[in-house]
Amino acid sequence: MKEPVSVLWSLCKAQTKSSMFIASFTESFLYILCLTNNMGVSDHPFIVYIAGFCCGLSCLFEPKERRKELAVYCATRAGEIVNEFGHARKYWHKERMDYFFVLMFSASMGGLMYYYHREPKHIKAFVHTIMKLLLGY
């Protein structure tokens, strides 16, 4: 490593941006829910949608190159939330959705493999190295 100070500085900046993202993501969602609860408004689904939109704005802390990667990771969580919502509202029954998690895992791995092969610069070096070790190419 020719310039360790500059590498450490860039790592610190990247870590700070990622920390700001995750902190603002969770904090903005919880803040809006707590604020509306203290104002006397119950957990109405519309308030949850507004909180979700506001916490989604925290991805602006991340560099543009990483936003696609965040979308890939968040899409699987969104699918899980839709599945739980459907079970709670009895839109579908659990026995009909036995293989939903297999489908969700397949979709997430498909997304990761797409980025692994076609756009490897959007995957963190650590994740790329692990996938290289596990997959063999």
Side-chain angles (χ1 to χ4, degrees):
M1 195 177 316
K2 292 182 181 179
E3 297 181 27
V5 175
S6 65
V7 170
L8 282 175
W9 177 248
S10 65
L11 284 174
C12 284
K13 283 192 332 188
Q15 186 64 35
T16 302
K17 284 182 182 180
S18 291
S19 298
M20 286 173 51
F21 160 72
I22 197 69
S24 65
F25 186 82
T26 56
E27 190 63 31
S28 62
F29 187 82
L30 293 175
Y31 177 75
I32 290 172
L33 289 182
C34 289
L35 179 69
T36 55
N37 282 337
N38 288 337
M39 290 175 23
V41 181
S42 65
D43 288 339
H44 193 272
F46 184 69
I47 293 171
V48 176
Y49 298 147
I50 291 173
F53 175 76
C54 291
C55 77
L57 293 175
S58 64
C59 76
L60 297 175
F61 284 122
E62 288 288 337
K64 283 187 177 183
E65 305 86 40
R66 293 263 339 262
R67 292 180 192 163
K68 286 183 181 180
E69 182 185 352
L70 288 174
V72 169
Y73 291 124
C74 291
T76 56
R77 180 68 178 135
E80 185 180 355
I81 290 169
V82 167
N83 182 35
E84 293 299 321
F85 180 77
H87 288 305
R89 298 284 179 146
K90 306 225 189 293
Y91 290 142
W92 53 77
H93 301 287
K94 238 181 179 140
E95 42 293 334
R96 292 184 187 167
M97 298 295 286
D98 282 342
Y99 298 105
F100 179 76
F101 291 109
V102 174
L103 177 68
M104 190 170 58
F105 176 77
S106 301
S108 66
M109 279 306 294
L112 282 174
M113 291 305 291
Y114 170 81
Y115 282 108
Y116 178 74
H117 285 293
R118 301 232 168 117
E119 299 182 39
K121 64 183 178 207
H122 293 300
I123 296 179
K124 285 183 176 181
F126 177 71
V127 175
H128 193 271
T129 304
I130 294 217
M131 288 179 75
K132 194 178 203 179
L133 290 171
L134 289 175
L135 301 173
Y137 46 75

